Amino acid sequence: MFGVENNPTEPSLKSYSAGSADLSQRIRSAKILIVDDVPIMCRLIGTALTKVGFENITFAFDGKEALLAVEQARPDLIILDLNMPKMNGYEVCRHLRSLKNTRDLPILVQSAAETAEERAKVFEAGGTDFVSKPINEPEMIARVRLHLENRFLIQNLSHFYDRMQGELSIAHDMQRDLMPSDNVIWGIQQKYGIQIESFYRASSELSGDLWGVWPIDNERLGLYTLDIVGHGVGAAMNTFRVHEIMNRHTHLRGDPAAFLSALNQELTEVFPTGQYGTMFYGVIDFSEQKITYVGAASPKPFIIGHDRRTDIRTIDTSGIPVGITNWPDYENQDVDFHPSEVLFCYSDALIETENISGEILSETGLRGLIADNHEKFVDDELLPTLLGEFYRQVPRILEDDLTAICVHFLDSKTIEDWDEVSTTEAETFQILALVHENSNVEKITSLNDDQIHFILAKNNDETGGHLLKAEQIFHMVLMETPLTLQTVRDWIGYIRSQSTLRGIPIVVINNPTWAVSDEKLLSMGADYILSPNVSQSRLKQLIVSVSSRYDQIVQIKRKVEWRRAGQIHVKEGMFNFSSRREAQALAAILSVTCSDPLLASIGLMELMVNAVEHGCLSIGRVRKAELVECGDLSTEMHVRSSMSIYRDMQATIQFVRRSGYVEFTITDPGEGFDYLQELEMYKENHTEKSGRGIFMATRIFSSLKYDGKGNKLIATMDIASQG
């Protein structure tokens, strides 16, 4: 490239203001690729740009060179000639627009085109703008600056948007964590002999919805719903503030009026003018068969009687919202609540969101929706039908969070039918961590909280073995990196040899010094492999997910043992199922004739739940991973199962006893999936949610074979000894 003296009358980048010094510097150092098969044209354009301060210019002399230069240098802008050998400018544009990384790359086309048709052809090929030919330097420089400025501003906005979305996602997760977990709900159901349905779906914005439930004593249960006025970060932050204040007044939970008064007193001091919350708080007394409550302008809860069509009563929640005045004069009120009745609480999004006709449901409309659909309610489930009908009428993303809770006061017969085997899910997950004497135990023990409790055992003593032999239930075994590979192999072998520990998940943090692949560790008997630099948050997320799943396995084990006492002798049969609950029940029943009923039931449940998710509800691999990551899978299944297009979808399992083994054939109504790809993806990344069930089933059953497009599988296992 030849040099040219700067003309003081020419505008330079130093005098150009793009709104900030940082942006000006980015434009000055931007990578510009000039593509022309005439070298002198490349030099003329390059010199013109250099004179005004551009510092990073490269050249290509035909289309193929241009594509190679784009791949290697990743330019910020291209100046492209159309008529070139080997590959012309149109072809270059089309190729670059077909690639994800260059889809938005500014391409300024050198053209003498004057007709609209010629210009349209350039734009159709993917050109961004024109520079005239022969070159008009001031015009070219202005266009280069304009498109670089636009590119960098859009990149800045995109990065800002991505960061904000990430932060909002974290805030959504934190807000969701304030609500009762499945474990807490399960424990409360067992304690009081009730059934709780809950639904929460976040809107596109942060908002102030919150609900909670807590035991007061052996006969009384507290339940609240809260909606902080407004949307955005302010409303969400106020939910954290309210949650913290409520935790300071646990001694008042048995008296709704005193509890809300104390909460209100503090909120009026911290809420700015215009901020307040609507709230319902009730204490359900199951022995007295009543609800003592206080309302603070929240949507009116319903009590739905045994006759779901006509026996529908509202609870008066007219009262002053919390956070407005120091003297709200809250008073306790009582309402009868009898066995077989349902307390239904909800947020205002349910009655105030406009449907496709521009009308809101309203409280009267909600009452009508309950009455009109009473025949569709299944035993202790109202929400799938109600919310399915709601989303059918409002088929779009809501502008406000939607919360709905049903508390079913079960009568004694319902309780007996509902849970033939008494089970109690753990409120705290016990994790046995097998560590080296030089392990960084603080990294592990720092995760201890109300949900996770670590018990440490070092490799140079026998504590771990004694603990595993004891009556204490562990939900997971974690092996830390400083352990030797032989120690890990020995521990896995020991655990897998103990019938009482069958199915307990083993998580191994791979040590690079072992020089073994994740697949090798899996073949030894590990269930999950993590890298040594796994983050604390990711480790905790995996622990909760894996432990929760194993806790379900413990419940299945109890049901299997109960079923086995009256072992069935059916030779063959076919059963339909369409939900997780039905899959779990069938798995417990059909597994008892296998040589290892517990493992068979676990494997069947994994495969049958896959059939429900993928086949009956059309939840694909990518969507499922997203839902699992944000904790919304159960909610999504809840909603889809009540929608008309999925409501009648059913999978089948065929059970046939053959000579020496039993054969299970599972078929679902879905479009199928690439099961081999799912399996390979899980082998490559063992924290993947997809493919885990298939991988586990391949290790449980004697044989596992998919037919056709993946929506039919055949699994076999040896028959149990009858002696």
Side-chain angles (χ1 to χ4, degrees):
M1 182 182 298
F2 53 87
V4 178
E5 292 183 3
N6 285 341
N7 185 338
T9 63
E10 286 281 347
S12 71
L13 290 176
K14 293 180 180 179
S15 62
Y16 168 68
S17 174
S20 73
D22 289 341
L23 183 58
S24 296
Q25 179 56 41
R26 287 190 71 186
I27 292 173
R28 184 181 301 112
S29 58
K31 300 176 183 177
I32 300 174
L33 173 63
I34 302 170
V35 186
D36 200 310
D37 61 321
V38 180
I40 190 65
M41 288 301 300
C42 287
R43 297 175 70 186
L44 285 172
I45 296 171
T47 300
L49 294 173
T50 303
K51 284 193 302 181
V52 294
F54 287 102
E55 304 167 348
N56 200 341
I57 299 171
T58 56
F59 305 98
F61 300 102
D62 61 52
K64 290 189 175 180
E65 278 191 25
L67 295 182
L68 183 61
V70 169
E71 183 179 351
Q72 293 177 342
R74 300 292 178 89
D76 298 303
L77 180 140
I78 298 177
I79 300 175
L80 176 68
D81 188 30
L82 288 177
N83 301 312
M84 297 181 294
K86 298 183 181 179
M87 179 182 284
N88 62 39
Y90 295 106
E91 294 173 299
V92 172
C93 281
R94 292 191 189 98
H95 183 81
L96 291 176
R97 293 310 183 217
S98 71
L99 303 176
K100 181 179 180 180
N101 291 337
T102 54
R103 198 165 293 160
D104 302 320
L105 178 65
I107 303 175
L108 306 189
V109 174
Q110 300 179 61
S111 174
E114 296 181 356
T115 68
E117 291 78 8
E118 291 174 309
R119 289 178 173 267
K121 185 179 177 182
V122 171
F123 286 127
E124 185 179 350
T128 306
D129 201 353
F130 291 90
V131 291
S132 60
K133 192 174 184 179
I135 295 297
N136 180 322
E137 288 190 17
E139 176 196 7
M140 178 191 69
I141 292 168
R143 291 185 185 276
V144 168
R145 287 170 172 163
L146 174 65
H147 288 288
L148 284 173
E149 179 182 0
N150 288 343
R151 176 174 175 78
F152 294 140
L153 287 175
I154 291 172
Q155 284 181 350
N156 287 344
L157 286 173
S158 178
H159 293 156
F160 175 76
Y161 176 80
D162 290 343
R163 189 175 75 251
M164 288 300 297
Q165 287 299 109
E167 292 174 357
L168 288 175
S169 177
I170 293 172
H172 268 305
D173 291 343
M174 292 174 63
Q175 193 171 0
R176 184 185 297 276
D177 287 344
L178 297 180
M179 301 180 191
S181 67
D182 290 344
N183 294 331
V184 169
I185 293 174
W186 183 266
I188 287 174
Q189 289 177 153
Q190 299 300 315
K191 182 179 179 68
Y192 296 101
I194 61 175
Q195 177 74 357
I196 298 177
E197 293 180 87
S198 65
F199 178 92
Y200 171 76
R201 173 164 288 181
S203 66
S204 56
E205 302 180 56
L206 286 174
S207 68
D209 274 21
L210 192 63
W211 78 277
V213 62
W214 45 59
I216 296 174
D217 53 39
N218 289 334
E219 302 295 340
R220 295 185 300 161
L221 175 72
L223 170 73
Y224 74 87
T225 60
L226 170 73
D227 187 2
I228 300 295
V229 66
H231 301 280
V233 175
M237 291 302 294
N238 277 331
T239 63
F240 290 98
R241 181 178 286 164
V242 173
H243 189 268
E244 180 187 0
I245 294 174
M246 284 194 292
N247 285 336
R248 294 205 291 264
H249 298 290
T250 56
H251 61 292
L252 298 175
R253 287 177 174 176
D255 184 341
F259 181 76
L260 239 65
S261 296
L263 174 64
N264 176 79
Q265 185 68 34
E266 292 200 43
L267 291 180
T268 53
E269 297 176 2
V270 297
F271 271 8
T273 303
Q275 287 287 313
Y276 60 87
T278 62
M279 189 170 179
F280 166 79
Y281 179 53
V283 173
I284 306 172
D285 191 323
F286 296 101
S287 63
E288 296 293 329
Q289 298 187 8
K290 69 176 182 178
I291 302 173
T292 302
Y293 71 93
V294 167
S298 70
K300 295 179 180 178
F302 288 93
I303 293 180
I304 306 171
H306 182 71
D307 185 341
R308 309 296 197 221
R309 184 174 65 87
T310 60
D311 188 3
I312 304 173
R313 319 190 302 275
T314 56
I315 295 178
D316 178 19
T317 54
S318 57
I320 298 176
V322 292
I324 289 182
T325 175
N326 287 325
W327 309 105
D329 295 328
Y330 294 127
E331 294 183 1
N332 288 327
Q333 301 182 65
D334 291 335
V335 62
D336 291 341
F337 187 47
H338 301 295
S340 80
E341 293 187 329
V342 181
L343 172 63
F344 175 37
C345 303
Y346 53 91
S347 61
D348 54 11
L350 189 61
I351 57 175
E352 295 180 0
T353 300
E354 293 183 354
N355 61 20
I356 53 178
S357 302
E359 301 172 342
I360 63 172
L361 182 60
S362 77
E363 180 188 314
T364 302
L366 180 57
R367 180 192 293 268
L369 192 67
I370 296 170
D372 293 344
N373 290 277
H374 72 282
E375 293 182 348
K376 300 177 184 177
F377 298 148
V378 180
D379 297 330
D380 52 355
E381 290 189 350
L382 273 67
L383 292 187
T385 299
L386 285 180
L387 297 180
E389 287 297 316
F390 172 77
Y391 276 105
R392 185 180 61 79
Q393 298 175 23
V394 187
R396 60 185 174 84
I397 298 176
L398 305 185
E399 296 177 357
D400 198 359
D401 290 0
L402 176 57
T403 304
I405 304 101
C406 283
V407 178
H408 298 254
F409 190 171
L410 304 178
D411 57 33
S412 57
K413 183 179 184 304
T414 307
I415 295 172
E416 181 181 348
D417 295 340
W418 169 59
D419 195 4
E420 295 168 298
V421 183
S422 178
T423 59
T424 303
E425 188 163 336
E427 296 184 10
T428 301
F429 297 129
Q430 301 276 5
I431 313 299
L432 178 61
L434 301 175
V435 300
H436 188 271
E437 56 187 355
N438 296 325
S439 292
N440 180 10
V441 295
E442 291 184 1
K443 179 181 178 181
I444 298 175
T445 56
S446 64
L447 295 175
N448 280 333
D449 57 20
D450 293 339
Q451 194 173 18
I452 298 173
H453 178 64
F454 278 97
I455 296 178
L456 303 181
K458 295 183 179 180
N459 69 312
N460 58 356
D461 61 33
E462 299 179 352
T463 306
H466 291 314
L467 287 170
L468 288 169
K469 289 179 180 178
E471 293 294 324
Q472 186 172 10
I473 292 178
F474 289 102
H475 297 86
M476 195 183 90
V477 176
L478 175 69
M479 300 189 189
E480 249 283 52
T481 48
L483 296 175
T484 66
L485 181 59
Q486 185 58 49
T487 301
V488 169
R489 182 183 287 110
D490 291 344
W491 271 117
I492 293 176
Y494 172 77
I495 293 170
R496 295 303 182 221
S497 69
Q498 304 297 306
S499 59
T500 57
L501 302 175
R502 188 70 56 83
I504 188 171
I506 298 175
V507 178
V508 176
I509 300 180
N510 199 347
N511 189 334
T513 62
W514 295 342
V516 294
S517 65
D518 289 353
E519 192 165 3
K520 178 65 175 176
L521 290 171
L522 284 173
S523 68
M524 292 180 188
D527 295 295
Y528 297 87
I529 314 299
L530 298 176
S531 65
N533 57 351
V534 61
S535 67
Q536 295 287 85
S537 60
R538 181 70 188 95
L539 180 58
K540 181 173 182 178
Q541 183 185 51
L542 181 72
I543 289 170
V544 172
S545 173
V546 172
S547 299
S548 178
R549 182 187 161 280
Y550 180 64
D551 208 54
Q552 294 174 6
I553 291 173
V554 172
Q555 311 310 320
I556 294 173
K557 182 178 180 181
R558 292 173 181 170
K559 290 183 182 289
V560 168
E561 291 170 348
W562 178 80
R563 295 285 184 186
R564 200 172 189 183
Q567 194 174 103
I568 61 175
H569 296 284
V570 181
K571 289 187 176 180
E572 62 180 271
M574 181 177 289
F575 305 87
N576 295 332
F577 61 96
S578 59
S579 69
R580 279 180 172 174
R581 180 181 296 183
E582 291 172 348
Q584 180 174 329
L586 280 172
I589 292 171
L590 299 179
S591 65
V592 296
T593 55
C594 294
S595 56
D596 193 326
L598 176 57
L599 281 182
S601 65
I602 294 169
L604 284 175
M605 188 184 72
E606 291 285 353
L607 296 174
M608 293 167 73
V609 169
N610 272 347
V612 172
E613 294 168 349
H614 298 303
C616 298
L617 302 178
S618 299
I619 300 175
R621 180 185 66 80
V622 175
R623 180 59 178 154
K624 178 181 176 180
E626 294 172 350
L627 292 168
V628 171
E629 194 69 27
C630 64
D632 281 342
L633 180 58
S634 295
T635 298
E636 185 75 11
M637 293 178 69
H638 205 62
V639 172
R640 291 199 185 202
S641 63
S642 60
M643 297 170 66
S644 58
I645 59 174
Y646 302 117
R647 189 178 297 147
D648 298 325
M649 293 288 190
Q650 290 189 322
T652 63
I653 179 168
Q654 186 175 5
F655 164 85
V656 181
R657 291 193 190 202
R658 303 196 184 279
S659 178
Y661 68 94
V662 62
E663 180 179 278
F664 303 99
T665 302
I666 300 173
T667 307
D668 68 62
E671 298 179 356
F673 67 104
D674 189 340
Y675 50 90
L676 291 176
Q677 181 187 39
E678 295 263 323
L679 189 56
E680 288 304 314
M681 290 185 66
Y682 181 76
K683 287 181 178 179
E684 292 174 7
N685 183 356
H686 311 295
T687 62
E688 279 283 335
K689 309 299 186 300
S690 295
R692 182 189 66 191
I694 301 173
F695 178 78
M696 182 176 294
T698 60
R699 299 169 64 182
I700 289 175
F701 291 101
S702 306
S703 67
L704 180 66
K705 181 179 70 173
Y706 279 86
D707 277 355
K709 58 184 181 180
N711 66 337
K712 179 180 179 181
L713 66 90
I714 300 172
T716 66
M717 181 174 275
D718 294 341
I719 290 179
S721 170
Q722 300 299 314

